[in-house]
Each structure stands twice: as structure tokens, then as C-alpha cells.
Amino acid sequence: MSAEKVTTSEKTAIGIAHSKLILIGEHAVVHGQPAIAIPFPLIGVETVIERVPGTVKMDSSFYHGPLYLAPEALQGIVKCVEASLEYLEIPCKDLLIRINSSIPPGKGLGSSASVAISVIRSLFDFADRECTDEELLELANVAETYAHGAPSGLDTLTITSRSPVWYKKENPIDYIDLGEDFHFIVADSGRVGDTRTSVESVAKLLKSAPKRIQRKMDRIGELTHQAKHALERASKHFLGQLLNEAQKELESLGVSDAGLNKLIYFARKEGALGAKLTGGGNGGCIIALAQNEVHSKLLAEKLKKYGATAVWPFVLKKH
Ligand code: MEV
């Protein structure tokens, strides 16, 4: 579509994006190890764009509603909007961009990447253009670089995927075929975490004690390889053990906190096969592997009683 047509358009454009979870491999993935991440469609973002002549500038005034983003993330979204407008050759700046999100930010659930992807999709819709995955990822990574400093790219990739993602930086990604359905529960510790700060603290540790921390990264990488096999071979109990092992390593990297540790402890006590933090950590959510569907619902109730501020039991389905 020509730029001329865009400026005269009165259409309303929409872009949606779901959330994401990291099953295993967070932090180590920033330093070259693989990670496994899961699309999480129970929560997401919808962006609606309207042309409102002369009323809204392309700055943070597009930022409406109850959604909260850290200042860096917000700045990233503004940059991402600017880059998308330039890429799509949309000269019009009289846009009202409304973002509605059900993803709690700062909880390791990919809020900033989901907002970016939903905004980009809505801008492509506004321009009547189909969006390729490559275009989406490149533009979304503009926002993620502001939000996370040095993102691995895993969040944006998983949000654009429908299957569990096996991801290694600078390597082609792969999708995992599950051996059976897996039932999980995500529980929010109530504390907001800052992925950027967590990623930077791990990078500092790696710099100060390269050999010792590299061994931890390698160990997380090994656990992630084993987790891929466990998912493919339907080895639920083994997967649970691997999640617990990964949590130990994350704790030793200093990215878990008392709130997360408490929920993890109670999840295991109530029969979870494994439990760990998910995402950047130091606040945010845990992911626990339940025994089956009934157990995942029971676990959700229990974790609420133990102080989780939100719980989401969900199934990762074998296709
Ligand atoms: C954040 O969801 C996951 C981290 O590994 C950072 C990243 O991959 O960019 C902590």
C-alpha cells in the first residue's frame, strides 16, 4: 500500500500477541547456551490504532490504560514504533495507539516483547501489509534492546511461535515435538523483577569469576539438553528433576529471591514434580510441573493459599 493511502485511511488497526514462559535455560541463554521456551496464550496484549488527526503525538502519550512498563521498556516501545513507522513508510503521526495488556510486567512473562510485537502487528495492519517473522523479530528487537540491554532474542521468538521453542543465540531455532501432554502451573510471587538488572548482575559475575560461572552456564546448558529429551520422550519425572537442578544453579547465580524460593518450596511440598523460577528472576513467577491436570488445579489453589498473587494452571499439548 502506498504512503498516500495510509495517510488518508480512517481504519482501525489491530495487533495481538500472547505471552511466553521460559521452561529452562534462562540467563545461560544470554551467554550462548540453549534454552527452552513456551508460548503462553492464557495472557496477552491487544493494540488498537486509530487515526485521530492532530491529537496524539508519537511519544509516550500513546501509553494508555492500566499497563505499566519500566521506563527503559517504554522507551523501547517508542523507538520500536518509530522504527516501524519508518520501515512501513507511514508519514502520518496522528495516531492513537492503545495498548491493552493482561500480562503483568516485570514477572518474567515477556510483557515488553509482547507489547512490542502487538504494536508492530497493529502498525502492519494499519498499513495493510503482511508481516513476515523476520520483519517482526527485527523490529521487536529494537524494543527489547532498550528493555533488557543485551537480550538473547528468545522472548520475541517464542511470542511469535505456537510450539515450544529450542533456542540458541545465533543458531537456527528448532521446535520441540512433545511425547505427551505436560501440565504446568505458573504462580506469581507478587514482587516485580527487573530482567535488565538480573541479566547485568549475571554478566558481572561471569566477568569476575569466569571459570566458576562458565561451569554453571555449561551445567544449565547440559540440563536444557536433557530437558529437550525428557519432553520428547514423555519423561515427566525426569523433567521435574531437571527443573529442580536448574533452580539450584539459578539460585547460585543470585537471581532467585525469598518470594520465589518460598513458592518453589511449597510447590514441591504439594507434589510438584519440579519447580523453578521462570524468566529474569529476583521477583516474578515460578513454573512448576504438575503430576496431571487435576493436580495442576489443586496446586494452583494451594499456591494461592501460600501467597501467590496470581496462578495459571495450563497444559502444554502434544500435537
Ligand atoms: C528473560 O525472559 C530471559 C533471560 O534469559 C534474558 C534473555 O534471554 O534475554 C533472563
Side-chain angles (χ1 to χ4, degrees):
M1 161 173 257
S2 71
E4 180 79 358
K5 199 165 166 206
V6 171
T7 53
T8 57
S9 166
E10 295 302 327
K11 72 181 281 188
T12 295
I14 293 181
I16 56 171
H18 55 62
S19 174
K20 74 92 192 74
L21 292 168
I22 296 189
L23 180 63
I24 189 164
E26 53 271 90
H27 285 291
V29 69
V30 176
H31 303 282
Q33 298 295 334
I36 298 173
I38 311 170
F40 188 44
L42 295 191
I43 45 179
V45 182
E46 182 187 68
T47 300
V48 179
I49 301 185
E50 284 169 69
R51 186 170 174 244
V52 182
T55 56
V56 179
K57 295 194 182 90
M58 286 315 301
D59 59 21
S60 61
S61 63
F62 72 83
Y63 176 63
H64 287 262
L67 174 74
Y68 169 79
L69 288 176
E72 294 84 3
L74 190 55
Q75 197 189 1
I77 299 299
V78 173
K79 293 287 172 202
C80 172
V81 168
E82 286 170 0
S84 304
L85 288 173
E86 193 181 326
Y87 181 77
L88 290 165
E89 297 178 351
I90 300 177
C92 165
K93 299 274 189 261
D94 300 330
L95 304 174
L96 176 59
I97 301 178
R98 278 206 192 93
I99 301 167
N100 277 307
S101 174
S102 58
I103 307 175
K107 302 296 175 88
L109 301 177
S111 164
S112 58
S114 298
V115 169
I117 286 173
S118 122
V119 167
I120 297 163
R121 283 184 171 148
S122 67
L123 286 166
F124 270 77
D125 187 35
F126 188 81
D128 276 341
R129 283 260 307 264
E130 290 290 322
C131 184
T132 65
D133 283 351
E134 288 73 26
E135 289 171 318
L136 198 53
L137 294 177
E138 202 172 321
L139 290 166
N141 278 332
V142 172
E144 284 298 90
T145 303
Y146 276 85
H148 292 180
S152 64
L154 175 61
D155 286 12
T156 44
L157 240 163
T158 311
I159 287 160
T160 58
S161 163
R162 290 189 177 277
S163 311
V165 169
W166 167 265
Y167 177 80
K168 206 168 166 191
K169 228 170 155 179
E170 283 145 30
N171 271 30
I173 59 152
D174 204 354
Y175 298 95
I176 299 175
D177 284 327
L178 302 177
E180 66 171 331
D181 291 353
F182 288 84
H183 293 272
F184 291 98
I185 161 128
V186 175
D188 188 343
S189 70
R191 226 192 110 211
V192 169
D194 178 9
T195 301
R196 190 189 179 103
T197 309
S198 292
V199 168
E200 285 172 0
S201 74
V202 172
K204 252 190 218 155
L205 264 186
L206 186 60
K207 216 168 163 193
S208 65
K211 276 200 184 138
R212 186 170 64 83
I213 302 301
Q214 188 55 51
R215 273 200 301 275
K216 294 189 178 298
M217 298 294 166
D218 293 346
R219 175 69 182 140
I220 295 176
E222 227 173 77
L223 294 168
T224 305
H225 271 100
Q226 290 174 341
K228 181 172 188 281
H229 293 142
L231 287 165
E232 289 167 344
R233 292 173 194 162
S235 309
K236 234 178 348 201
H237 286 82
F238 185 43
L239 180 63
Q241 285 169 27
L242 297 168
L243 299 184
N244 289 340
E245 287 292 315
Q247 173 61 20
K248 251 193 236 164
E249 299 300 334
L250 290 166
E251 275 175 37
S252 74
L253 290 173
V255 293
S256 201
D257 69 3
L260 293 166
N261 294 346
K262 178 181 143 191
L263 287 182
I264 289 165
Y265 170 82
F266 284 118
R268 290 175 187 159
K269 182 170 175 277
E270 296 297 341
L273 301 177
K276 61 180 276 296
L277 67 85
T278 179
N282 279 335
C285 293
I286 70 155
I287 181 165
L289 177 59
Q291 295 165 20
N292 51 44
E293 188 174 0
V294 175
H295 182 236
S296 74
K297 291 187 177 142
L298 202 74
L299 207 49
E301 287 311 309
K302 295 274 186 194
L303 289 179
K304 252 202 245 166
K305 284 197 183 126
Y306 290 124
T309 53
V311 285
W312 296 275
F314 76 101
V315 56
L316 194 56
K317 275 220 161 290
K318 169 182 161 70
H319 288 294

PDB file of all heavy atoms in Angstrom, residues 24-54:
ATOM      1  N   ILE A  24      13.313 -23.651  30.802  1.00  0.00           N
ATOM      2  CA  ILE A  24      14.656 -23.908  31.354  1.00  0.00           C
ATOM      3  C   ILE A  24      15.698 -23.225  30.457  1.00  0.00           C
ATOM      4  O   ILE A  24      15.478 -23.112  29.246  1.00  0.00           O
ATOM      5  CB  ILE A  24      14.899 -25.444  31.456  1.00  0.00           C
ATOM      6  CG1 ILE A  24      16.179 -25.766  32.234  1.00  0.00           C
ATOM      7  CG2 ILE A  24      14.901 -26.130  30.094  1.00  0.00           C
ATOM      8  CD1 ILE A  24      16.256 -27.230  32.683  1.00  0.00           C
ATOM      9  N   GLY A  25      16.766 -22.759  31.071  1.00  0.00           N
ATOM     10  CA  GLY A  25      17.875 -22.212  30.292  1.00  0.00           C
ATOM     11  C   GLY A  25      18.012 -20.697  30.361  1.00  0.00           C
ATOM     12  O   GLY A  25      18.916 -20.131  29.743  1.00  0.00           O
ATOM     13  N   GLU A  26      17.103 -20.015  31.118  1.00  0.00           N
ATOM     14  CA  GLU A  26      17.232 -18.549  31.200  1.00  0.00           C
ATOM     15  C   GLU A  26      18.597 -18.182  31.776  1.00  0.00           C
ATOM     16  O   GLU A  26      19.224 -18.965  32.489  1.00  0.00           O
ATOM     17  CB  GLU A  26      16.109 -17.884  32.006  1.00  0.00           C
ATOM     18  CG  GLU A  26      15.847 -18.381  33.387  1.00  0.00           C
ATOM     19  CD  GLU A  26      14.851 -19.526  33.371  1.00  0.00           C
ATOM     20  OE1 GLU A  26      15.353 -20.674  33.258  1.00  0.00           O
ATOM     21  OE2 GLU A  26      13.644 -19.314  33.507  1.00  0.00           O
ATOM     22  N   HIS A  27      19.029 -17.025  31.462  1.00  0.00           N
ATOM     23  CA  HIS A  27      20.328 -16.444  31.808  1.00  0.00           C
ATOM     24  C   HIS A  27      21.470 -17.140  31.058  1.00  0.00           C
ATOM     25  O   HIS A  27      22.240 -16.456  30.388  1.00  0.00           O
ATOM     26  CB  HIS A  27      20.581 -16.447  33.330  1.00  0.00           C
ATOM     27  CG  HIS A  27      19.763 -15.384  34.008  1.00  0.00           C
ATOM     28  ND1 HIS A  27      20.009 -14.046  33.829  1.00  0.00           N
ATOM     29  CD2 HIS A  27      18.666 -15.459  34.812  1.00  0.00           C
ATOM     30  CE1 HIS A  27      19.117 -13.337  34.508  1.00  0.00           C
ATOM     31  NE2 HIS A  27      18.278 -14.171  35.100  1.00  0.00           N
ATOM     32  N   ALA A  28      21.554 -18.472  31.114  1.00  0.00           N
ATOM     33  CA  ALA A  28      22.636 -19.129  30.381  1.00  0.00           C
ATOM     34  C   ALA A  28      22.473 -18.871  28.876  1.00  0.00           C
ATOM     35  O   ALA A  28      23.466 -18.798  28.140  1.00  0.00           O
ATOM     36  CB  ALA A  28      22.628 -20.628  30.684  1.00  0.00           C
ATOM     37  N   VAL A  29      21.229 -18.693  28.429  1.00  0.00           N
ATOM     38  CA  VAL A  29      20.969 -18.470  27.001  1.00  0.00           C
ATOM     39  C   VAL A  29      21.596 -17.153  26.523  1.00  0.00           C
ATOM     40  O   VAL A  29      22.010 -17.034  25.371  1.00  0.00           O
ATOM     41  CB  VAL A  29      19.438 -18.506  26.702  1.00  0.00           C
ATOM     42  CG1 VAL A  29      18.702 -17.324  27.293  1.00  0.00           C
ATOM     43  CG2 VAL A  29      19.161 -18.608  25.208  1.00  0.00           C
ATOM     44  N   VAL A  30      21.712 -16.187  27.435  1.00  0.00           N
ATOM     45  CA  VAL A  30      22.331 -14.912  27.075  1.00  0.00           C
ATOM     46  C   VAL A  30      23.820 -15.131  26.758  1.00  0.00           C
ATOM     47  O   VAL A  30      24.429 -14.395  25.997  1.00  0.00           O
ATOM     48  CB  VAL A  30      22.168 -13.892  28.241  1.00  0.00           C
ATOM     49  CG1 VAL A  30      22.874 -12.578  27.948  1.00  0.00           C
ATOM     50  CG2 VAL A  30      20.688 -13.648  28.543  1.00  0.00           C
ATOM     51  N   HIS A  31      24.391 -16.195  27.336  1.00  0.00           N
ATOM     52  CA  HIS A  31      25.832 -16.452  27.179  1.00  0.00           C
ATOM     53  C   HIS A  31      26.100 -17.677  26.301  1.00  0.00           C
ATOM     54  O   HIS A  31      27.087 -18.383  26.489  1.00  0.00           O
ATOM     55  CB  HIS A  31      26.472 -16.574  28.570  1.00  0.00           C
ATOM     56  CG  HIS A  31      26.228 -15.342  29.387  1.00  0.00           C
ATOM     57  ND1 HIS A  31      26.939 -14.179  29.211  1.00  0.00           N
ATOM     58  CD2 HIS A  31      25.274 -15.064  30.321  1.00  0.00           C
ATOM     59  CE1 HIS A  31      26.457 -13.236  30.024  1.00  0.00           C
ATOM     60  NE2 HIS A  31      25.452 -13.752  30.711  1.00  0.00           N
ATOM     61  N   GLY A  32      25.175 -17.917  25.386  1.00  0.00           N
ATOM     62  CA  GLY A  32      25.453 -18.904  24.332  1.00  0.00           C
ATOM     63  C   GLY A  32      24.919 -20.300  24.551  1.00  0.00           C
ATOM     64  O   GLY A  32      25.091 -21.173  23.699  1.00  0.00           O
ATOM     65  N   GLN A  33      24.282 -20.563  25.706  1.00  0.00           N
ATOM     66  CA  GLN A  33      23.713 -21.903  25.946  1.00  0.00           C
ATOM     67  C   GLN A  33      22.295 -21.967  25.373  1.00  0.00           C
ATOM     68  O   GLN A  33      21.676 -20.938  25.121  1.00  0.00           O
ATOM     69  CB  GLN A  33      23.662 -22.191  27.452  1.00  0.00           C
ATOM     70  CG  GLN A  33      25.019 -22.213  28.128  1.00  0.00           C
ATOM     71  CD  GLN A  33      25.902 -23.358  27.644  1.00  0.00           C
ATOM     72  OE1 GLN A  33      25.394 -24.389  27.200  1.00  0.00           O
ATOM     73  NE2 GLN A  33      27.204 -23.176  27.692  1.00  0.00           N
ATOM     74  N   PRO A  34      21.759 -23.182  25.179  1.00  0.00           N
ATOM     75  CA  PRO A  34      20.387 -23.265  24.676  1.00  0.00           C
ATOM     76  C   PRO A  34      19.364 -23.004  25.781  1.00  0.00           C
ATOM     77  O   PRO A  34      19.687 -23.094  26.966  1.00  0.00           O
ATOM     78  CB  PRO A  34      20.280 -24.723  24.214  1.00  0.00           C
ATOM     79  CG  PRO A  34      21.265 -25.452  25.055  1.00  0.00           C
ATOM     80  CD  PRO A  34      22.380 -24.495  25.370  1.00  0.00           C
ATOM     81  N   ALA A  35      18.153 -22.670  25.378  1.00  0.00           N
ATOM     82  CA  ALA A  35      17.039 -22.544  26.328  1.00  0.00           C
ATOM     83  C   ALA A  35      15.786 -23.109  25.665  1.00  0.00           C
ATOM     84  O   ALA A  35      15.702 -23.193  24.436  1.00  0.00           O
ATOM     85  CB  ALA A  35      16.816 -21.089  26.711  1.00  0.00           C
ATOM     86  N   ILE A  36      14.845 -23.509  26.516  1.00  0.00           N
ATOM     87  CA  ILE A  36      13.547 -23.974  26.003  1.00  0.00           C
ATOM     88  C   ILE A  36      12.494 -23.003  26.519  1.00  0.00           C
ATOM     89  O   ILE A  36      12.409 -22.742  27.722  1.00  0.00           O
ATOM     90  CB  ILE A  36      13.225 -25.405  26.483  1.00  0.00           C
ATOM     91  CG1 ILE A  36      14.279 -26.376  25.953  1.00  0.00           C
ATOM     92  CG2 ILE A  36      11.822 -25.819  26.014  1.00  0.00           C
ATOM     93  CD1 ILE A  36      14.150 -27.796  26.500  1.00  0.00           C
ATOM     94  N   ALA A  37      11.697 -22.474  25.601  1.00  0.00           N
ATOM     95  CA  ALA A  37      10.644 -21.530  25.991  1.00  0.00           C
ATOM     96  C   ALA A  37       9.317 -21.962  25.383  1.00  0.00           C
ATOM     97  O   ALA A  37       9.275 -22.687  24.388  1.00  0.00           O
ATOM     98  CB  ALA A  37      11.013 -20.130  25.547  1.00  0.00           C
ATOM     99  N   ILE A  38       8.250 -21.506  26.025  1.00  0.00           N
ATOM    100  CA  ILE A  38       6.910 -21.978  25.680  1.00  0.00           C
ATOM    101  C   ILE A  38       6.001 -20.790  25.405  1.00  0.00           C
ATOM    102  O   ILE A  38       5.957 -19.857  26.213  1.00  0.00           O
ATOM    103  CB  ILE A  38       6.295 -22.733  26.891  1.00  0.00           C
ATOM    104  CG1 ILE A  38       7.243 -23.756  27.479  1.00  0.00           C
ATOM    105  CG2 ILE A  38       5.000 -23.395  26.513  1.00  0.00           C
ATOM    106  CD1 ILE A  38       6.731 -24.322  28.810  1.00  0.00           C
ATOM    107  N   PRO A  39       5.261 -20.822  24.300  1.00  0.00           N
ATOM    108  CA  PRO A  39       4.252 -19.778  24.135  1.00  0.00           C
ATOM    109  C   PRO A  39       3.189 -19.942  25.221  1.00  0.00           C
ATOM    110  O   PRO A  39       2.834 -21.066  25.580  1.00  0.00           O
ATOM    111  CB  PRO A  39       3.647 -20.045  22.750  1.00  0.00           C
ATOM    112  CG  PRO A  39       4.293 -21.254  22.217  1.00  0.00           C
ATOM    113  CD  PRO A  39       5.266 -21.797  23.207  1.00  0.00           C
ATOM    114  N   PHE A  40       2.710 -18.823  25.753  1.00  0.00           N
ATOM    115  CA  PHE A  40       1.772 -18.875  26.882  1.00  0.00           C
ATOM    116  C   PHE A  40       0.532 -18.048  26.517  1.00  0.00           C
ATOM    117  O   PHE A  40       0.471 -16.841  26.790  1.00  0.00           O
ATOM    118  CB  PHE A  40       2.482 -18.317  28.117  1.00  0.00           C
ATOM    119  CG  PHE A  40       1.727 -18.472  29.403  1.00  0.00           C
ATOM    120  CD1 PHE A  40       1.083 -19.652  29.739  1.00  0.00           C
ATOM    121  CD2 PHE A  40       1.672 -17.419  30.303  1.00  0.00           C
ATOM    122  CE1 PHE A  40       0.393 -19.789  30.932  1.00  0.00           C
ATOM    123  CE2 PHE A  40       0.992 -17.544  31.514  1.00  0.00           C
ATOM    124  CZ  PHE A  40       0.348 -18.732  31.815  1.00  0.00           C
ATOM    125  N   PRO A  41      -0.451 -18.691  25.873  1.00  0.00           N
ATOM    126  CA  PRO A  41      -1.560 -17.910  25.304  1.00  0.00           C
ATOM    127  C   PRO A  41      -2.647 -17.518  26.296  1.00  0.00           C
ATOM    128  O   PRO A  41      -3.610 -16.865  25.901  1.00  0.00           O
ATOM    129  CB  PRO A  41      -2.116 -18.847  24.224  1.00  0.00           C
ATOM    130  CG  PRO A  41      -1.683 -20.206  24.614  1.00  0.00           C
ATOM    131  CD  PRO A  41      -0.499 -20.107  25.521  1.00  0.00           C
ATOM    132  N   LEU A  42      -2.501 -17.874  27.581  1.00  0.00           N
ATOM    133  CA  LEU A  42      -3.553 -17.519  28.543  1.00  0.00           C
ATOM    134  C   LEU A  42      -3.617 -16.013  28.810  1.00  0.00           C
ATOM    135  O   LEU A  42      -4.621 -15.502  29.267  1.00  0.00           O
ATOM    136  CB  LEU A  42      -3.330 -18.247  29.877  1.00  0.00           C
ATOM    137  CG  LEU A  42      -3.452 -19.763  29.870  1.00  0.00           C
ATOM    138  CD1 LEU A  42      -3.462 -20.291  31.300  1.00  0.00           C
ATOM    139  CD2 LEU A  42      -4.709 -20.220  29.149  1.00  0.00           C
ATOM    140  N   ILE A  43      -2.507 -15.339  28.568  1.00  0.00           N
ATOM    141  CA  ILE A  43      -2.491 -13.887  28.743  1.00  0.00           C
ATOM    142  C   ILE A  43      -1.809 -13.254  27.523  1.00  0.00           C
ATOM    143  O   ILE A  43      -1.046 -13.938  26.826  1.00  0.00           O
ATOM    144  CB  ILE A  43      -1.772 -13.460  30.048  1.00  0.00           C
ATOM    145  CG1 ILE A  43      -0.461 -14.238  30.225  1.00  0.00           C
ATOM    146  CG2 ILE A  43      -2.647 -13.632  31.261  1.00  0.00           C
ATOM    147  CD1 ILE A  43       0.310 -13.843  31.472  1.00  0.00           C
ATOM    148  N   GLY A  44      -2.105 -11.985  27.260  1.00  0.00           N
ATOM    149  CA  GLY A  44      -1.530 -11.364  26.065  1.00  0.00           C
ATOM    150  C   GLY A  44      -1.806  -9.880  25.976  1.00  0.00           C
ATOM    151  O   GLY A  44      -2.271  -9.250  26.924  1.00  0.00           O
ATOM    152  N   VAL A  45      -1.507  -9.338  24.798  1.00  0.00           N
ATOM    153  CA  VAL A  45      -1.630  -7.895  24.562  1.00  0.00           C
ATOM    154  C   VAL A  45      -2.438  -7.670  23.287  1.00  0.00           C
ATOM    155  O   VAL A  45      -2.265  -8.390  22.305  1.00  0.00           O
ATOM    156  CB  VAL A  45      -0.231  -7.251  24.358  1.00  0.00           C
ATOM    157  CG1 VAL A  45      -0.350  -5.740  24.171  1.00  0.00           C
ATOM    158  CG2 VAL A  45       0.696  -7.559  25.519  1.00  0.00           C
ATOM    159  N   GLU A  46      -3.310  -6.667  23.332  1.00  0.00           N
ATOM    160  CA  GLU A  46      -4.000  -6.242  22.118  1.00  0.00           C
ATOM    161  C   GLU A  46      -3.724  -4.753  21.927  1.00  0.00           C
ATOM    162  O   GLU A  46      -3.882  -3.968  22.858  1.00  0.00           O
ATOM    163  CB  GLU A  46      -5.507  -6.464  22.255  1.00  0.00           C
ATOM    164  CG  GLU A  46      -6.238  -6.066  20.984  1.00  0.00           C
ATOM    165  CD  GLU A  46      -7.744  -6.121  21.156  1.00  0.00           C
ATOM    166  OE1 GLU A  46      -8.272  -5.285  21.931  1.00  0.00           O
ATOM    167  OE2 GLU A  46      -8.381  -6.953  20.527  1.00  0.00           O
ATOM    168  N   THR A  47      -3.294  -4.409  20.730  1.00  0.00           N
ATOM    169  CA  THR A  47      -3.060  -2.988  20.419  1.00  0.00           C
ATOM    170  C   THR A  47      -4.049  -2.558  19.348  1.00  0.00           C
ATOM    171  O   THR A  47      -4.220  -3.246  18.343  1.00  0.00           O
ATOM    172  CB  THR A  47      -1.619  -2.777  19.911  1.00  0.00           C
ATOM    173  OG1 THR A  47      -0.729  -3.188  20.933  1.00  0.00           O
ATOM    174  CG2 THR A  47      -1.359  -1.319  19.576  1.00  0.00           C
ATOM    175  N   VAL A  48      -4.678  -1.444  19.578  1.00  0.00           N
ATOM    176  CA  VAL A  48      -5.631  -0.905  18.601  1.00  0.00           C
ATOM    177  C   VAL A  48      -5.133   0.474  18.188  1.00  0.00           C
ATOM    178  O   VAL A  48      -4.789   1.303  19.040  1.00  0.00           O
ATOM    179  CB  VAL A  48      -7.042  -0.782  19.224  1.00  0.00           C
ATOM    180  CG1 VAL A  48      -8.020  -0.193  18.220  1.00  0.00           C
ATOM    181  CG2 VAL A  48      -7.523  -2.141  19.709  1.00  0.00           C
ATOM    182  N   ILE A  49      -5.075   0.697  16.882  1.00  0.00           N
ATOM    183  CA  ILE A  49      -4.628   2.004  16.383  1.00  0.00           C
ATOM    184  C   ILE A  49      -5.781   2.689  15.664  1.00  0.00           C
ATOM    185  O   ILE A  49      -6.460   2.081  14.833  1.00  0.00           O
ATOM    186  CB  ILE A  49      -3.478   1.853  15.364  1.00  0.00           C
ATOM    187  CG1 ILE A  49      -2.306   1.149  16.013  1.00  0.00           C
ATOM    188  CG2 ILE A  49      -3.056   3.216  14.832  1.00  0.00           C
ATOM    189  CD1 ILE A  49      -1.104   1.062  15.115  1.00  0.00           C
ATOM    190  N   GLU A  50      -5.960   3.924  15.992  1.00  0.00           N
ATOM    191  CA  GLU A  50      -6.925   4.743  15.254  1.00  0.00           C
ATOM    192  C   GLU A  50      -6.211   5.991  14.796  1.00  0.00           C
ATOM    193  O   GLU A  50      -5.276   6.451  15.459  1.00  0.00           O
ATOM    194  CB  GLU A  50      -8.058   5.180  16.182  1.00  0.00           C
ATOM    195  CG  GLU A  50      -9.055   4.103  16.493  1.00  0.00           C
ATOM    196  CD  GLU A  50      -9.961   4.579  17.614  1.00  0.00           C
ATOM    197  OE1 GLU A  50     -10.751   5.500  17.366  1.00  0.00           O
ATOM    198  OE2 GLU A  50      -9.818   4.055  18.725  1.00  0.00           O
ATOM    199  N   ARG A  51      -6.686   6.533  13.688  1.00  0.00           N
ATOM    200  CA  ARG A  51      -6.128   7.813  13.249  1.00  0.00           C
ATOM    201  C   ARG A  51      -6.976   8.913  13.865  1.00  0.00           C
ATOM    202  O   ARG A  51      -8.179   8.966  13.661  1.00  0.00           O
ATOM    203  CB  ARG A  51      -6.154   7.899  11.725  1.00  0.00           C
ATOM    204  CG  ARG A  51      -5.449   9.135  11.257  1.00  0.00           C
ATOM    205  CD  ARG A  51      -5.248   9.141   9.764  1.00  0.00           C
ATOM    206  NE  ARG A  51      -4.706  10.432   9.431  1.00  0.00           N
ATOM    207  CZ  ARG A  51      -5.327  11.316   8.669  1.00  0.00           C
ATOM    208  NH1 ARG A  51      -6.484  11.032   8.138  1.00  0.00           N
ATOM    209  NH2 ARG A  51      -4.766  12.473   8.416  1.00  0.00           N
ATOM    210  N   VAL A  52      -6.331   9.723  14.707  1.00  0.00           N
ATOM    211  CA  VAL A  52      -7.052  10.823  15.347  1.00  0.00           C
ATOM    212  C   VAL A  52      -6.303  12.097  14.968  1.00  0.00           C
ATOM    213  O   VAL A  52      -5.319  12.453  15.618  1.00  0.00           O
ATOM    214  CB  VAL A  52      -7.094  10.639  16.879  1.00  0.00           C
ATOM    215  CG1 VAL A  52      -7.896  11.751  17.537  1.00  0.00           C
ATOM    216  CG2 VAL A  52      -7.679   9.284  17.235  1.00  0.00           C
ATOM    217  N   PRO A  53      -6.731  12.762  13.905  1.00  0.00           N
ATOM    218  CA  PRO A  53      -5.919  13.850  13.349  1.00  0.00           C
ATOM    219  C   PRO A  53      -5.558  14.908  14.381  1.00  0.00           C
ATOM    220  O   PRO A  53      -6.413  15.386  15.122  1.00  0.00           O
ATOM    221  CB  PRO A  53      -6.816  14.444  12.252  1.00  0.00           C
ATOM    222  CG  PRO A  53      -7.774  13.342  11.919  1.00  0.00           C
ATOM    223  CD  PRO A  53      -7.976  12.564  13.181  1.00  0.00           C
ATOM    224  N   GLY A  54      -4.271  15.192  14.389  1.00  0.00           N
ATOM    225  CA  GLY A  54      -3.771  16.314  15.173  1.00  0.00           C
ATOM    226  C   GLY A  54      -3.864  16.175  16.688  1.00  0.00           C
ATOM    227  O   GLY A  54      -3.616  17.139  17.392  1.00  0.00           O
TER     228      GLY A  54
END
